Amino acid sequence: MTKNPLAVRLPGLDLKNPIIPASGCFGFGKEYNKFYDISQLGSVMIKATTPEPRFGNPTPRVAETPSGMLNAIGLQNPGMDVIINEILVDLAQSHPDLPIIANVAGSTEEDYVTVCREISQAPNVKAIELNVSCPNVKEGGITFGTDPMIAGALTEAVKKVSKVPIYVKLSPNVTDIVPIAQAIEAGGADGFTMINTLLGMRIDLKTRQPIIANRTGGLSGPAIKPVAIRLINQVAAVSNLPIIGMGGIMTVDDVIEMYLAGASAVGIGTANFTDPYICPKLITELPIRMKELGIESLEQLIKEVREAR
């Protein structure tokens, strides 16, 4: 039997290919199933889960930018109970072989611990993506992912209760990402996903007010890819933990560039909005491009990149 050149093994995740829709850009999976069979994906990162339902931020929540977009959705979701008892159950029945990465968010450490403990017991949840770009209400609103001590302590706390590996989603909105990544690794993380969105703003010339009701939003899309490449490369230089790279991927060349920076799989975000078929297209085109570039397999590429450091 011929070995699958796209197969990648990560903690908790045995992926037939590295293409994973990023959290917040793919709903809970079923929304895109009307376009194609999502079982062909490597995995799906579902929308953020919080202990209680969240209605999100006021509108407008989205604004276009050159080569990207701003969003301030506000972690809108139906809450942990509905996601675990209804949405994940439906996904397990309709797509039994599709591994799910659950994105977990919260306002306190207790929120994260509660959701990680419960959602990690769902049979089809194979890993958790810890969204640390949320304000910690007990620390004066400081974002969990911008302080090494807080990020490390949060990672340690959820690792104690989770039954599946923990991947921490790193924020680019920091002075130096390296000590934060190192603290998270020391806290027991199994991997990283990176990067989250960059903080940005747009202003309406007629109203002279921010376009987004929340004033600021997260910048995503092709505009942020060079930042993502740089930060992934920085973290890969100090850690051997696997990285699921994301930030502006639109083509198979972008995917391979993420690998050369140090990623082991990739998340596809904003591209899903411009082309709902982008993920299956990348899965089809990737082995063709790999052959053109003399890449035998992604596992071999990961090994070569690590050895070249």
Side-chain angles (χ1 to χ4, degrees), residues 24 47 53-65 68-78 197-202 210-220 270 273:
K47 274 176 64 69
R54 284 201 185 187
F55 297 100
N57 291 324
T59 57
R61 298 175 172 183
V62 177
E64 286 191 67
T65 67
M69 62 176 279
L70 291 171
N71 88 85
I73 306 302
L75 302 176
Q76 179 179 346
N77 75 95
T197 54
L198 290 154
L199 198 59
M201 177 189 279
R202 282 206 59 210
I211 293 175
I212 291 179
N214 199 55
R215 299 186 66 83
T216 61
L219 176 65
S220 62
T270 302
F273 300 142

Side-chain angles (χ1 to χ4, degrees), residues 44-226:
V44 169
M45 293 172 170
I46 60 173
K47 274 176 64 69
T49 301
T50 54
E52 304 298 330
R54 284 201 185 187
F55 297 100
N57 291 324
T59 57
R61 298 175 172 183
V62 177
E64 286 191 67
T65 67
S67 298
M69 62 176 279
L70 291 171
N71 88 85
I73 306 302
L75 302 176
Q76 179 179 346
N77 75 95
M80 176 180 71
D81 290 342
V82 171
I83 291 171
I84 292 173
N85 298 318
E86 297 178 26
I87 294 172
L88 285 173
V89 170
D90 287 346
L91 278 171
Q93 291 173 347
S94 59
H95 300 88
D97 298 322
L98 180 64
I100 301 298
I101 301 172
N103 181 288
V104 173
S107 301
T108 64
E109 184 178 292
E110 291 77 12
D111 284 352
Y112 284 94
V113 168
T114 297
V115 178
C116 286
R117 179 191 295 115
E118 300 302 321
I119 207 165
S120 68
Q121 298 181 59
N124 51 340
V125 170
K126 304 302 181 183
I128 285 172
E129 179 184 45
L130 209 62
N131 183 354
V132 295
S133 296
C134 303
N136 182 346
V137 297
K138 290 188 177 180
E139 295 291 339
I142 185 172
T143 303
F144 283 97
T146 59
D147 183 281
M149 287 186 63
I150 293 174
L154 177 63
T155 304
E156 189 173 351
V158 298
K159 275 291 293 181
K160 289 178 181 176
V161 300
S162 177
K163 295 184 179 298
V164 298
I166 299 289
Y167 291 73
V168 181
K169 191 169 192 176
L170 300 184
S171 170
N173 301 306
V174 295
T175 305
D176 187 355
I177 204 167
V178 168
I180 296 168
Q182 290 172 324
I184 288 168
E185 180 170 6
D190 299 281
F192 302 108
T193 68
M194 58 187 299
I195 56 172
N196 208 333
T197 54
L198 290 154
L199 198 59
M201 177 189 279
R202 282 206 59 210
I203 296 174
D204 186 297
L205 301 189
K206 292 181 179 178
T207 66
R208 302 186 182 184
Q209 297 297 316
I211 293 175
I212 291 179
N214 199 55
R215 299 186 66 83
T216 61
L219 176 65
S220 62
I224 75 167
K225 192 188 81 170

Side-chain angles (χ1 to χ4, degrees), residues 20-56:
I20 308 170
S23 177
C25 301
F26 206 72
F28 289 99
K30 62 181 180 179
E31 293 87 346
Y32 278 77
N33 204 51
K34 62 184 176 184
F35 297 112
Y36 59 88
D37 180 5
I38 62 171
S39 291
Q40 65 189 282
L41 299 168
S43 174
V44 169
M45 293 172 170
I46 60 173
K47 274 176 64 69
T49 301
T50 54
E52 304 298 330
R54 284 201 185 187
F55 297 100

